[in-house]
Amino acid sequence: GENVEQHPSTLSVQEGDSAVIKCTYSDSASNYFPWYKQELGKRPQLIIDIRSNVGEKKDQRIAVTLNKTAKHFSLHITETQPEDSAVYFCAASMGQAGTALIFGKGTTLSVSS
Amino acid sequence: NAGVMQNPRHLVRRRGQEARLRCSPMKGHSHVYWYRQLPEEGLKFMVYLQKENIIDESGMPKERFSAEFPKEGPSILRIQQVVRGDSAAYFCASSPSGTGDTEAFFGQGTRLTVV
């Protein structure tokens, strides 16, 4: 069935280091790939997204890359800060109607100062 | 423009009771999605609705769970005869069109505890 796999499940970095989270998806028809950040006890919030006609997108310290052939996409956070600590979820559009978002299981990022 | 509103924020039910979770989408959004989040786990898709229509319910258990999004009023996720395993956070999201290429905005969630 439709599936999104996300790695690693936990990631610990020192402040100032880079963090990379990777996801693969199963449906070759997927065309929208958002990343959400969820702080403890709060709602998921979109941090960046990419569509299938683009290979890379950057927004300040955050970038996302997409390889449609290999069906994988990655989140890159540079110069990490303690406030980047949260759970990050990747997602891909798929489903019966082709428009539901299917999420990975999340990556808990811890940035220590 | 108010965000996605869910209520109640916290709901406690005894085993066998019914739980009703409400979601009011953002103004102008006619697409609603329900997700379940278990502790330490990701967001599991349950159902996708448009006004008066269920578009995709492939993630919803066949028994005890139902969802609706009437012409007027909020979307409702209904869980009958709750069991302890239903304890989770239930998030609703809305978008102005299908999430094929648009952002889905999430509500604060309803944390259901079954005792």
Side-chain angles (χ1 to χ4, degrees):
Chain A
E2 296 108 0
N3 192 35
V4 175
E5 303 229 348
Q6 183 172 347
H7 298 281
S9 56
T10 59
L11 181 58
S12 296
V13 299
Q14 292 283 339
E15 183 177 1
D17 287 350
S18 295
V20 180
I21 302 170
K22 299 182 179 182
C23 288
T24 59
Y25 59 97
S26 59
D27 188 350
S28 56
S30 296
N31 58 8
Y32 177 61
F33 308 91
W35 286 87
Y36 283 81
K37 176 183 180 182
Q38 186 179 29
E39 296 176 353
L40 191 62
K42 297 192 175 179
R43 76 182 82 193
Q45 292 195 291
L46 181 78
I47 54 170
I48 196 168
D49 57 13
I50 193 167
R51 292 169 176 79
S52 59
N53 57 346
V54 175
E56 185 173 356
K57 183 176 178 181
K58 191 173 181 181
D59 182 4
Q60 299 182 353
R61 296 186 297 108
I62 295 173
V64 58
T65 58
L66 171 65
N67 183 329
K68 282 222 75 178
T69 303
K71 291 192 283 187
H72 68 71
F73 56 115
S74 301
L75 177 73
H76 304 253
I77 306 174
T78 57
E79 300 171 29
T80 53
Q81 301 166 2
E83 50 265 39
D84 293 330
S85 298
V87 181
Y88 291 80
F89 293 99
C90 63
S93 63
M94 57 180 77
Q96 290 177 5
T99 55
L101 283 177
I102 304 300
F103 284 80
K105 291 200 171 184
T107 296
T108 301
L109 174 64
S110 300
V111 181
S112 52
S113 53
Chain B
N1 187 4
V4 179
M5 303 298 292
Q6 288 189 249
N7 67 82
R9 291 288 308 278
H10 300 275
L11 181 61
V12 179
R13 284 288 177 266
R14 295 187 185 280
R15 280 177 294 170
Q17 290 185 320
E18 178 179 288
R20 278 182 174 246
L21 288 62
R22 295 174 188 78
C23 169
S24 295
M26 285 180 71
K27 187 176 180 181
H29 288 193
S30 58
H31 299 248
V32 166
Y33 309 81
W34 285 94
Y35 290 84
R36 177 163 64 178
Q37 187 173 38
L38 291 166
E40 309 299 321
E41 290 195 15
L43 295 151
K44 185 174 182 298
F45 167 74
M46 298 181 73
V47 62
Y48 161 35
L49 310 103
Q50 294 179 23
K51 285 280 188 183
E52 301 184 275
N53 284 306
I54 296 175
I55 307 302
D56 182 352
E57 57 183 348
S58 58
M60 200 147 72
K62 296 281 187 287
E63 297 179 353
R64 302 189 298 108
F65 285 72
S66 62
E68 63 176 12
F69 189 15
K71 188 177 179 181
E72 301 291 337
S75 175
I76 307 284
L77 179 68
R78 182 182 177 206
I79 311 172
Q80 295 178 289
Q81 299 173 347
V82 295
V83 300
R84 288 227 169 103
D86 296 332
S87 296
Y90 292 83
F91 286 93
C92 164
S94 74
S95 67
S97 62
T99 55
D101 64 352
T102 56
E103 178 181 356
F105 294 83
F106 280 83
Q108 294 275 36
T110 293
R111 278 148 185 86
L112 172 66
T113 302
V114 179
V115 297

